[in-house]
Amino acid sequence: MADILNPENEGDLQAQIEEVEALSSIYGDEWCVIDEASRIFCIKVSDDLDEPKLTACLQIILPPDYPSTSPPIYQINAAWLRGPERAKLANSLEDLYVEHVGESILYLWVEKIREFLVEKSQSSETVDQPEKVNMTAEEEVDDDEDIPDFRTFKLSTENTHLFMDHAHDEELPPIKHGNTITDRRSTFQPHLAPVVTPRQVKMVLEKLYENKKIASATHNIYAYRIYCEDKHSFLQDCEDDGETAAGGRLLHLLQILDVRNVMVVVSRWYGGILLGPDRFKHINNCARNILVEEGFTASTDEATKSGAKIKRPKAKRTK
């Protein structure tokens, strides 16, 4: 990232180097360097080092002007972390940053997450297998489900400049809500927003979670694709929110339909009856329906039945 070499950022870069060295020394094997040149790191945080019950992975991107001006860009990966709980933890991290603007913040963030995990594990709501807290009985989760795929994360590092663009002057995109699908007391509802930066993705999620009904959903699965014109490539990601493999399937649908600059969230309220593979069909049908309704993809019976790749009308591409 060329910006890191800018003389104006030399002080920040030196502060980052010192902070990373300290964290590596403190946390040892829990600290992972994903891409040093792009300033991308990861740390696995647990409630107990000897006998962990809950774990979370904190992924960090350090902007060129951190810590003097900008906060770190972060993502918390934990299959058990519910939407409202995720928002609560995110708010506590952001409050910490506000209290320490201009200072190195990562150590405080890691310990705040650890404190959150300890409180969670000690609460009466903790179950024997915490990684399944946000799962229906349909899902089976491996022990390392909450560990991110570093390879996938690294593939997108060439587009990390998007995380830093227009950090303070972006507007919340309009959010559309689609029709619900109900099957055996489980209800699915899609939500869609045009997005051109990862910050807008975060803004959309925060806005959706302000709705108590959406925040109370058993799962809020999402995927997005942002086209980087200068790189001629896509910045894309997805989240299962406990519905194992649903996020990846949703992202695959967006890829097949060749949509861009759009985010789709599908809320599921579990009704107590197992749906098996039908749940994935409903999630993707919800997503496809709202993409068609909002004009992001063509509507043809053949495409709906076969899942064939469809070129989205050029007029709908967001610059």
Side-chain angles (χ1 to χ4, degrees):
M1 297 175 63
D3 289 343
I4 291 179
L5 302 179
N6 189 319
E8 297 179 1
N9 301 131
E10 286 182 359
D12 285 316
L13 179 58
Q14 183 59 37
Q16 290 181 22
I17 291 173
E18 294 174 359
E19 183 177 21
V20 167
E21 288 178 351
L23 293 172
S24 177
S25 175
I26 293 170
Y27 296 113
D29 292 340
E30 291 185 326
W31 178 263
C32 175
V33 178
I34 297 178
D35 189 326
E36 188 167 8
S38 296
R39 317 303 293 157
I40 303 177
F41 308 93
C42 180
I43 180 168
K44 187 176 181 181
V45 189
S46 60
D47 62 322
D48 188 292
L49 295 178
D50 297 324
E51 297 181 0
K53 296 180 181 179
L54 292 175
T55 60
C57 185
L58 176 66
Q59 294 176 339
I60 292 291
I61 300 176
L62 301 181
D65 53 355
Y66 165 81
S68 66
T69 305
S70 296
I73 307 302
Y74 72 93
Q75 177 174 315
I76 302 172
N77 292 298
W80 54 268
L81 191 57
R82 285 177 171 270
E85 291 177 323
R86 183 182 293 274
K88 177 183 177 181
L89 179 55
N91 289 336
S92 67
L93 297 185
E94 291 167 11
D95 289 343
L96 263 181
Y97 173 76
V98 171
E99 294 173 11
H100 299 272
V101 170
E103 303 174 16
S104 297
I105 195 69
L106 297 185
Y107 175 79
L108 294 177
W109 273 9
V110 171
E111 293 309 308
K112 173 60 71 172
I113 293 173
R114 195 184 308 279
E115 177 184 316
F116 180 88
L117 299 184
V118 170
E119 291 178 357
K120 173 72 175 174
S121 66
Q122 292 176 347
S123 71
S124 59
E125 297 177 357
T126 303
V127 295
D128 292 335
Q129 293 179 308
E131 66 273 14
K132 295 186 181 180
V133 168
N134 200 31
M135 303 289 171
T136 64
E138 295 167 311
E139 284 81 75
E140 291 296 331
V141 183
D142 296 332
D143 291 339
D144 61 349
E145 177 66 31
D146 57 337
I147 300 176
D149 184 342
F150 292 147
R151 294 169 299 172
T152 301
F153 191 66
K154 189 171 182 178
L155 285 174
S156 65
T157 60
E158 61 179 316
N159 298 318
T160 55
H161 65 285
L162 287 176
F163 283 80
M164 303 163 212
D165 290 345
H166 315 295
H168 304 290
D169 59 357
E170 294 184 19
E171 296 183 359
L172 174 70
I175 302 174
K176 303 295 184 178
H177 306 281
N179 296 324
T180 61
I181 294 177
T182 301
D183 180 10
R184 285 162 281 179
R185 298 193 302 201
S186 277
T187 299
F188 303 80
Q189 183 181 26
H191 321 280
L192 178 148
V195 294
V196 293
T197 69
R199 176 164 175 76
Q200 287 187 321
V201 171
K202 183 179 179 182
M203 293 169 69
V204 169
L205 290 173
E206 290 174 345
K207 185 63 178 179
L208 287 174
Y209 279 125
E210 290 179 5
N211 183 301
K212 292 182 179 180
K213 181 179 179 181
I214 295 174
S216 68
T218 312
H219 312 287
N220 283 299
I221 306 107
Y222 72 81
Y224 66 86
R225 299 186 83 213
I226 298 171
Y227 184 66
C228 312
E229 294 187 2
D230 56 339
K231 298 286 186 178
H232 302 290
S233 62
F234 284 91
L235 178 64
Q236 54 191 17
D237 201 359
C238 59
E239 169 62 44
D240 296 336
D241 194 26
E243 187 76 282
T244 306
R249 290 168 183 253
L250 181 57
L251 178 57
H252 184 59
L253 174 70
L254 302 188
Q255 293 168 337
I256 289 175
L257 297 178
D258 193 28
V259 297
R260 60 185 65 191
N261 298 336
V262 66
M263 172 184 189
V264 177
V265 182
V266 178
S267 302
R268 179 194 181 183
W269 292 268
Y270 179 57
I273 300 176
L274 305 184
L275 302 186
D278 285 349
R279 66 190 189 277
F280 299 120
K281 178 182 68 176
H282 296 322
I283 291 168
N284 277 10
N285 281 344
C286 272
R288 184 187 294 110
N289 289 345
I290 198 168
L291 285 166
V292 170
E293 290 167 5
E294 297 304 319
F296 279 86
T297 188
S299 175
T300 63
D301 292 339
E302 292 78 8
T304 301
K305 293 177 181 178
S306 67
K309 187 171 182 179
I310 307 168
K311 290 187 177 180
R312 185 174 52 81
K314 293 183 178 180
K316 290 298 295 183
R317 292 186 180 181
T318 304
K319 294 183 179 179

